[in-house]
Short mmCIF file of all heavy atoms in Angstrom, two decimals:
data_model
loop_
_atom_site.label_atom_id
_atom_site.label_comp_id
_atom_site.label_asym_id
_atom_site.label_seq_id
_atom_site.Cartn_x
_atom_site.Cartn_y
_atom_site.Cartn_z
N ASN A 8 105.78 36.69 83.44
CA ASN A 8 106.09 35.66 84.45
C ASN A 8 105.79 36.25 85.83
O ASN A 8 106.68 36.89 86.44
CB ASN A 8 107.55 35.25 84.28
CG ASN A 8 107.91 34.08 85.22
OD1 ASN A 8 107.22 33.78 86.18
ND2 ASN A 8 108.96 33.34 84.85
N ILE A 16 109.46 40.86 94.36
CA ILE A 16 108.83 41.64 95.40
C ILE A 16 109.21 41.14 96.80
O ILE A 16 109.50 41.88 97.70
CB ILE A 16 107.29 41.59 95.22
CG1 ILE A 16 106.88 42.34 93.95
CG2 ILE A 16 106.57 42.22 96.44
CD1 ILE A 16 105.40 42.24 93.61
N HIS A 24 114.07 44.85 105.16
CA HIS A 24 114.14 44.42 106.55
C HIS A 24 115.62 44.18 106.93
O HIS A 24 116.02 44.40 108.07
CB HIS A 24 113.35 43.18 106.78
CG HIS A 24 111.87 43.47 106.82
ND1 HIS A 24 111.03 43.19 105.71
CD2 HIS A 24 111.05 44.01 107.78
CE1 HIS A 24 109.81 43.55 106.01
NE2 HIS A 24 109.79 44.05 107.28
N GLU A 25 116.42 43.64 106.02
CA GLU A 25 117.83 43.20 106.38
C GLU A 25 118.88 44.23 106.11
O GLU A 25 119.89 44.21 106.74
CB GLU A 25 118.12 41.93 105.57
CG GLU A 25 117.34 40.68 105.98
CD GLU A 25 117.85 39.43 105.28
OE1 GLU A 25 118.80 39.56 104.46
OE2 GLU A 25 117.24 38.41 105.49
N ALA A 26 118.63 45.10 105.11
CA ALA A 26 119.70 45.97 104.70
C ALA A 26 120.17 46.94 105.76
O ALA A 26 121.33 47.16 105.96
CB ALA A 26 119.27 46.78 103.46
N ALA A 28 121.44 49.95 107.80
CA ALA A 28 122.29 51.11 107.43
C ALA A 28 123.42 50.67 106.54
O ALA A 28 124.27 51.51 106.16
CB ALA A 28 122.81 51.77 108.69
N GLU A 50 127.03 29.22 106.93
CA GLU A 50 127.17 29.76 108.27
C GLU A 50 127.89 28.81 109.18
O GLU A 50 127.65 27.58 109.11
CB GLU A 50 125.83 30.12 108.88
CG GLU A 50 125.18 31.39 108.28
CD GLU A 50 123.95 31.81 109.05
OE1 GLU A 50 123.75 31.31 110.20
OE2 GLU A 50 123.23 32.67 108.55
N THR A 51 128.78 29.27 109.98
CA THR A 51 129.46 28.43 110.93
C THR A 51 129.74 29.27 112.20
O THR A 51 129.80 30.45 112.13
CB THR A 51 130.75 27.88 110.34
OG1 THR A 51 131.37 27.01 111.30
CG2 THR A 51 131.72 28.99 110.00
N GLU A 54 134.78 31.52 116.74
CA GLU A 54 135.11 32.27 117.96
C GLU A 54 136.39 33.06 117.70
O GLU A 54 137.29 32.61 116.94
CB GLU A 54 135.32 31.30 119.15
CG GLU A 54 134.00 30.60 119.58
CD GLU A 54 133.00 31.59 120.06
OE1 GLU A 54 133.35 32.55 120.74
OE2 GLU A 54 131.80 31.37 119.81
N LEU A 104 157.62 43.67 86.29
CA LEU A 104 158.24 44.10 85.04
C LEU A 104 158.47 42.91 84.14
O LEU A 104 158.43 43.04 82.87
CB LEU A 104 159.54 44.84 85.31
CG LEU A 104 159.45 46.33 85.57
CD1 LEU A 104 160.80 46.93 85.87
CD2 LEU A 104 158.80 47.06 84.42
N ALA A 125 157.32 56.89 97.19
CA ALA A 125 157.90 55.58 97.59
C ALA A 125 158.22 54.74 96.33
O ALA A 125 159.25 54.07 96.29
CB ALA A 125 156.93 54.83 98.49
N GLY A 126 157.32 54.78 95.38
CA GLY A 126 157.53 53.99 94.16
C GLY A 126 158.67 54.47 93.32
O GLY A 126 159.46 53.67 92.84
N SER A 137 171.30 48.64 87.99
CA SER A 137 171.38 48.11 86.58
C SER A 137 170.43 46.89 86.35
O SER A 137 170.64 46.13 85.44
CB SER A 137 172.81 47.73 86.22
OG SER A 137 173.65 48.80 86.26
N ASP A 147 153.90 58.63 74.72
CA ASP A 147 153.95 59.95 75.46
C ASP A 147 155.45 60.24 75.80
O ASP A 147 156.01 59.61 76.68
CB ASP A 147 153.12 59.84 76.74
CG ASP A 147 153.07 61.16 77.52
OD1 ASP A 147 153.70 62.12 77.07
OD2 ASP A 147 152.34 61.20 78.52
N ILE A 166 166.93 33.82 92.84
CA ILE A 166 166.16 33.60 94.08
C ILE A 166 164.70 33.16 93.75
O ILE A 166 163.92 33.01 94.65
CB ILE A 166 166.11 34.89 94.93
CG1 ILE A 166 165.45 36.03 94.14
CG2 ILE A 166 167.47 35.29 95.38
CD1 ILE A 166 165.18 37.23 95.01
N ILE A 170 161.52 32.31 96.18
CA ILE A 170 160.32 33.12 96.12
C ILE A 170 159.10 32.24 96.07
O ILE A 170 158.09 32.40 96.74
CB ILE A 170 160.35 34.09 95.00
CG1 ILE A 170 161.44 35.13 95.24
CG2 ILE A 170 158.93 34.81 94.86
CD1 ILE A 170 161.66 36.01 94.03
N HIS A 200 138.86 47.96 97.17
CA HIS A 200 139.88 48.89 97.63
C HIS A 200 140.68 49.50 96.46
O HIS A 200 141.10 50.66 96.52
CB HIS A 200 140.82 48.23 98.61
CG HIS A 200 140.10 47.83 99.88
ND1 HIS A 200 139.52 48.74 100.76
CD2 HIS A 200 139.86 46.61 100.42
CE1 HIS A 200 138.95 48.06 101.80
NE2 HIS A 200 139.14 46.81 101.59
#
Side-chain angles (χ1 to χ4, degrees):
N8 188 338
I16 291 172
H24 287 101
E25 291 186 2
E50 287 190 12
T51 183
E54 293 298 322
L104 275 177
S137 299
D147 183 355
I166 62 170
I170 293 171
H200 296 297

